[in-house]
Amino acid sequence: SFNSQKSLVYRRTGLTTKFKKGHDLTSFKTALWTRFKDTGLDTVVYLPDPTDPTKMMDVLHNHSRFTTKYAKTQHALLRANFDTFDKANDNSCTWMFLDSVSHDIKATLERKMKDGETGFVEVWLMFIEKLQSSTVERYEKLKTSIREHRPSMYAGENLTEMCRFYMDTAKELTIAGHY
């Protein structure tokens, strides 16, 4: 019907502002999460916690806890139990995400995707790997940047901006288990 087609188009339409390298990842994740929740697509962004398989974690916010290999394996196991609606949601989630990034990022990710087999969780982790390293060295640099940050690094010694940096960085380190 017309309404179901309209709904599908809306669910696959990306964010208005396309993410480009150098943009704020935290804000992008928040905008995606809000859109996923609003459209009911958030149900396909979960995988079993690698340290406790009895718990599910969303890959969007907890990406540093997952490897692409683990995600691919777990997604295949979960997908075997997906019904038609779950598969449609996974597909819509993937295409909505791809429509939310710049053309060059989208093209890179599409080249790595296998038609019909690559779900959102895998595409998201490919995106994160392209965007940032998840090595111990990276997390050590983040810890160092927290120790070295000073109010004088911000215009007008803006403590609100400095606190935002601390909170975002600490959250990333906590999720990765490095804080």
Side-chain angles (χ1 to χ4, degrees):
S1 80
F2 174 73
N3 285 337
S4 64
Q5 286 179 328
K6 192 167 119 179
S7 174
L8 180 65
V9 169
Y10 175 71
R11 289 161 48 111
R12 289 182 169 207
T13 301
L15 302 173
T16 308
T17 304
K18 306 298 181 205
F19 182 89
K20 296 177 181 154
K21 194 164 177 131
H23 282 187
D24 179 25
L25 182 61
T26 302
S27 297
F28 182 61
K29 288 191 290 191
T30 300
L32 279 177
W33 185 251
T34 300
R35 184 65 176 278
F36 289 163
K37 295 287 273 184
D38 289 348
T39 57
L41 297 175
D42 61 302
T43 59
V44 296
V45 304
Y46 290 88
L47 286 178
D49 181 338
T51 59
D52 182 0
T54 64
K55 295 180 182 174
M56 299 295 277
M57 299 181 84
D58 80 88
V59 176
L60 190 73
H61 294 100
N62 298 290
H63 53 81
S64 58
R65 300 196 54 160
F66 298 94
T67 65
T68 306
K69 182 179 178 181
Y70 177 84
K72 185 175 182 170
T73 303
Q74 291 300 312
H75 182 261
L77 292 171
L78 292 173
R79 191 170 175 86
N81 295 311
F82 278 8
D83 63 15
T84 306
F85 296 107
D86 292 326
K87 289 177 183 173
N89 284 349
D90 197 19
N91 193 284
S92 291
C93 193
T94 301
W95 290 109
M96 194 280 282
F97 164 65
L98 290 172
D99 193 40
S100 299
V101 296
S102 66
H103 177 73
D104 61 321
I105 294 173
K106 179 180 179 180
T108 299
L109 293 172
E110 284 179 326
R111 281 192 295 275
K112 294 180 176 186
M113 292 171 61
K114 291 183 180 153
D115 194 33
E117 294 178 30
T118 311
F120 170 76
V121 294
E122 294 171 74
V123 176
W124 176 254
L125 290 173
M126 287 189 273
F127 166 72
I128 293 297
E129 284 177 355
K130 178 182 175 3
L131 203 61
Q132 66 185 27
S133 166
S134 60
T135 63
V136 172
E137 291 84 16
R138 179 181 188 295
Y139 296 119
E140 289 303 319
K141 284 181 185 177
L142 288 175
K143 290 178 193 176
T144 299
S145 70
I146 286 176
R147 284 190 293 273
E148 293 176 351
H149 250 67
R150 303 285 178 261
S152 59
M153 298 170 83
Y154 296 89
E157 296 193 359
N158 187 335
L159 296 179
T160 301
E161 285 300 314
M162 187 172 140
C163 288
R164 185 172 294 129
F165 165 79
Y166 283 145
M167 289 170 42
D168 289 347
T169 306
K171 184 176 182 180
E172 184 176 347
L173 289 167
T174 301
I175 289 170
H178 285 269
Y179 192 70

